[in-house]
Amino acid sequence: MQAEMWRLYRHLIFGGVVIVVCCYIVMEFTQIRFGASKAEQLLCVDAEFSSALLLSGVSQNLPDSQFNWTLTSKELPVVSDIPSLMIDKTWLKFPDNSYQLTFGDSDSPILIGRASQGNPLFQLESLVKLFLQTDRMGYQEKIDLMESMPCLAMKKISTDVSDPIMGVVLVHGAYSEYGFVWKDKDAKEPVYLSVAQSDSFSLTLVVVLVVGVGITIMLLLIWRELVSLDFKRKTFESITRQIARGRSGLPKGIPDSSGTLKELAYSFDSMSSHIQRLLKVQREMINAISHELRTPIARLRFGLEVMKDEVDDDVAKTIEALEGDVEELNTLVDEVLTYGKLEGGSLALNFSELCIAQVVDNILQHNHLLLQHLDVQVHIDKNDLVLADEHHLSRALQNLILNASKYANSKIVITFSHDEERWQLDIEDDGPGIAFEDRDKVFIPFQRLDNSRTRASGGYGLGLAIVQRIAFWHGGAVLIDASESGGAKFSLIWSRNQHQKTLS
């Protein structure tokens, strides 16, 4: 996983660097654009006041203006016509960042001005004062002219000052904005004049957008890596589950670019193969020993039968005890062979419809001597049919019933139930029960619990393991719970749909 972690860190570092670089580029670009836009606005105000002074005849020479003006007509328009000329003026910007401003018709303009943006020094104050303090125009004419200037912002203000404002005053506002306060003798309220701000994009907003986009891209890259890691985790989990179920070999096309998952999966597969080889050797050895034991056991049984007819009664009792021991040994060999077949997968099951009540009744009749001291209660409908292998289902139910008889104090309760998906047979006893932490151990082969339930029962620890494997082959399981009478409750559950294809 080291490669994946390094890839995540790399995305974080790369994303941070990209965000910083993009913010720097955007801020520089915005400042350049903002400076150029501000210079154009100042140049526009210069042109509007200069043209108003020239067209109204207030002045014929404006050294403080950025423009070089040329009057092409000797007859000046009346002041009332100047606002329309202001609105219809023509701006031209050339590739060398120079400007040309034309008033009037393009074929026969009245006034032409040319300027270059190379000079950063604007002397608007003298132009504004010259325009506002001239006596050649009235107050209302000045107001009309300024209202026709698109690059100029004008609004009336109310000020509380000790001295009245007479003339023009240069003032500074917030965000480096500067303007002029003008109080005419004929006006009741002063007027605030400033450069109209164009709709330029906000530097802060652009930076926030860039940072947001950068963080989003970085999160998407990290999310992609996390999704890839989660997919690999699920794949590896699926592989380990398949190995745990006994699958040998790895599936093809494991999604792992760095090879870490493949290496780990191959290690698990190698370990699983080694465990399977050990288990196979163990099963083969147990089966071989069990098969080999059948011959000497048969000889012992035959020899003991022969000896019983030739000895007196005292020796015959000893021989009968030995026959019991030989029978126990034969039962152990039979259970070992049965469990080996169930565990090794070499078992062939023949499924058919069975009357579950008849199966249970046959088991009770066959073992009536072992169950005669108990009250066995059976709650099964005579018409209930199940789908199962008769021999192995009988073996499983017999093991459960005899297991309950070993620990029951007075009674055993057998109950059958079913739904649309499964059949269930519950066998309960009123014995000491099984502790919750020991319930999984009873299915381990040759496992014996160190409590009162197992010390007095005898057995070999294979009966319940065989029941569990038979339930597995029937598509079910064996569950353990506490009985209502205080003992243990074993539930054999198997699927109704598991083997329909086998029947068909």
Side-chain angles (χ1 to χ4, degrees):
M1 294 297 176
Q2 187 176 4
E4 284 76 8
M5 296 302 297
W6 167 242
R7 193 179 296 113
L8 286 177
Y9 286 124
R10 186 172 61 194
H11 287 328
L12 286 172
I13 296 172
F14 175 75
V17 172
V18 169
I19 291 174
V20 172
V21 172
C22 289
C23 289
Y24 175 77
I25 294 174
V26 169
M27 291 178 67
E28 287 293 325
F29 176 74
T30 305
Q31 288 181 352
I32 294 173
R33 286 289 304 272
F34 182 76
S37 176
K38 189 174 181 180
E40 289 182 355
Q41 291 295 108
L42 293 174
L43 194 64
C44 180
V45 174
D46 183 322
E48 289 172 346
F49 277 105
S50 299
S51 60
L53 291 171
L54 293 172
L55 292 175
S56 61
V58 174
S59 176
Q60 297 180 354
N61 185 18
L62 298 173
D64 294 333
S65 176
Q66 295 281 341
F67 286 85
N68 295 320
W69 297 100
T70 302
L71 278 170
T72 59
S73 176
K74 295 182 179 180
E75 296 183 1
L76 298 177
V78 295
V79 176
S80 59
D81 294 336
I82 296 178
S84 60
L85 294 174
M86 289 279 190
I87 296 174
D88 296 334
K89 62 182 180 295
T90 302
W91 274 93
L92 292 177
K93 183 177 181 180
F94 299 103
D96 60 350
N97 290 330
S98 61
Y99 299 86
Q100 178 176 300
L101 186 58
T102 304
F103 293 86
D105 296 334
S106 58
D107 297 333
S108 57
I110 300 175
L111 180 63
I112 299 175
R114 293 182 176 84
S116 174
Q117 203 178 5
N119 187 5
L121 299 178
F122 291 89
Q123 300 181 13
L124 296 180
E125 185 177 358
S126 59
L127 296 175
V128 172
K129 285 185 175 181
L130 182 61
F131 175 80
L132 297 176
Q133 293 178 350
T134 181
D135 294 332
R136 299 194 60 173
M137 289 183 289
Y139 173 76
Q140 190 59 44
E141 292 177 334
K142 297 176 183 177
I143 294 295
D144 294 339
L145 276 174
M146 288 188 292
E147 288 179 348
S148 65
M149 298 178 182
C151 297
L152 184 70
M154 180 182 64
K155 61 180 179 180
K156 294 183 179 181
I157 59 174
S158 58
T159 57
D160 297 329
V161 293
S162 57
D163 298 328
I165 300 176
M166 299 300 295
V168 181
V169 179
L170 177 64
V171 296
H172 292 271
Y175 306 107
S176 302
E177 177 186 331
Y178 61 90
F180 305 91
V181 177
W182 171 50
K183 178 67 168 65
D184 192 78
K185 59 183 179 180
D186 297 330
K188 297 180 180 180
E189 295 178 342
V191 177
Y192 177 68
L193 307 175
S194 62
V195 178
Q197 298 294 326
S198 61
D199 296 332
S200 60
F201 44 85
S202 173
L203 176 62
T204 304
L205 179 60
V206 172
V207 172
V208 170
L209 289 176
V210 171
V211 172
V213 171
I215 292 177
T216 302
I217 295 175
M218 183 171 61
L219 291 178
L220 288 176
L221 292 175
I222 296 175
W223 175 254
R224 177 176 173 271
E225 293 297 328
L226 292 177
V227 169
S228 176
L229 287 176
D230 185 66
F231 179 70
K232 293 179 181 179
R233 179 192 63 80
K234 291 180 179 179
T235 303
F236 181 70
E237 183 179 353
S238 175
I239 293 173
T240 54
R241 286 181 178 177
Q242 294 176 16
I243 292 175
R245 292 170 183 168
R247 172 175 179 171
S248 59
L250 293 176
K252 297 181 180 180
I254 298 177
D256 184 23
S257 58
S258 62
T260 306
L261 181 60
K262 288 184 179 179
E263 183 179 352
L264 190 59
Y266 280 121
S267 299
F268 268 83
D269 182 60
S270 176
M271 179 181 64
S272 174
S273 301
H274 182 64
I275 293 174
Q276 288 180 1
R277 286 194 299 270
L278 293 177
L279 292 175
K280 183 179 179 181
V281 171
Q282 182 188 30
R283 286 194 296 267
E284 291 176 350
M285 182 181 65
I286 292 176
N287 291 335
I289 294 174
S290 300
H291 279 289
E292 293 298 327
L293 285 175
R294 282 185 175 275
T295 300
I297 289 174
R299 292 174 182 172
L300 285 172
R301 294 175 67 179
F302 178 75
L304 291 173
E305 285 288 338
V306 172
M307 290 178 61
K308 283 174 61 177
D309 298 333
E310 300 177 356
V311 297
D312 54 21
D313 293 339
D314 294 336
V315 178
K317 292 181 180 179
T318 303
I319 292 176
E320 289 179 356
L322 291 175
E323 284 181 336
D325 294 337
V326 172
E327 188 62 31
E328 286 187 10
L329 183 59
N330 186 63
T331 303
L332 173 61
V333 171
D334 181 64
E335 288 191 353
V336 169
L337 291 176
T338 301
Y339 182 77
K341 291 179 180 179
L342 292 169
E343 183 69 22
S346 60
L347 192 66
L349 301 182
N350 297 316
F351 291 92
S352 61
E353 285 189 345
L354 307 174
C355 177
I356 188 64
Q358 185 64 41
V359 173
V360 173
D361 186 61
N362 292 338
I363 295 172
L364 296 179
Q365 290 182 7
H366 183 72
N367 298 278
H368 70 279
L369 293 177
L370 298 175
L371 302 172
Q372 60 185 355
H373 66 289
L374 298 172
D375 176 22
V376 181
Q377 302 176 10
V378 181
H379 302 287
I380 303 177
D381 192 333
K382 298 295 183 179
N383 298 322
D384 286 332
L385 299 177
V386 299
L387 179 65
D389 180 273
E390 182 176 5
H391 173 72
H392 289 93
L393 180 63
S394 298
R395 178 67 179 270
L397 295 180
Q398 178 175 280
N399 286 1
L400 290 176
I401 293 173
L402 294 181
N403 180 74
S405 69
K406 294 177 183 178
Y407 309 110
N409 294 325
S410 60
K411 69 176 181 177
I412 297 175
V413 180
I414 304 174
T415 307
F416 178 75
S417 60
H418 61 86
D419 56 23
E420 295 180 356
E421 296 182 356
R422 63 182 185 175
W423 292 292
Q424 179 171 336
L425 192 69
D426 299 328
I427 301 175
E428 305 178 53
D429 62 69
D430 59 349
I434 302 176
F436 181 79
E437 60 273 11
D438 293 333
R439 291 176 182 175
D440 291 335
K441 298 178 182 178
V442 298
F443 298 109
I444 301 176
F446 304 104
Q447 179 74 30
R448 294 178 55 82
L449 304 182
D450 187 18
N451 58 26
S452 60
R453 185 177 176 92
T454 58
R455 281 199 297 266
S457 65
Y460 312 104
L462 280 173
L464 293 178
I466 291 174
V467 173
Q468 186 187 50
R469 299 307 299 173
I470 291 176
F472 170 79
W473 283 105
H474 282 73
V478 182
L479 305 179
I480 303 177
D481 202 352
S483 171
E484 294 181 357
S485 56
K489 174 183 176 182
F490 285 83
S491 298
L492 177 62
I493 304 171
W494 70 103
S495 173
R496 301 187 65 162
N497 305 316
Q498 182 74 12
H499 303 288
Q500 287 189 2
K501 292 184 179 179
T502 305
L503 275 182
S504 62

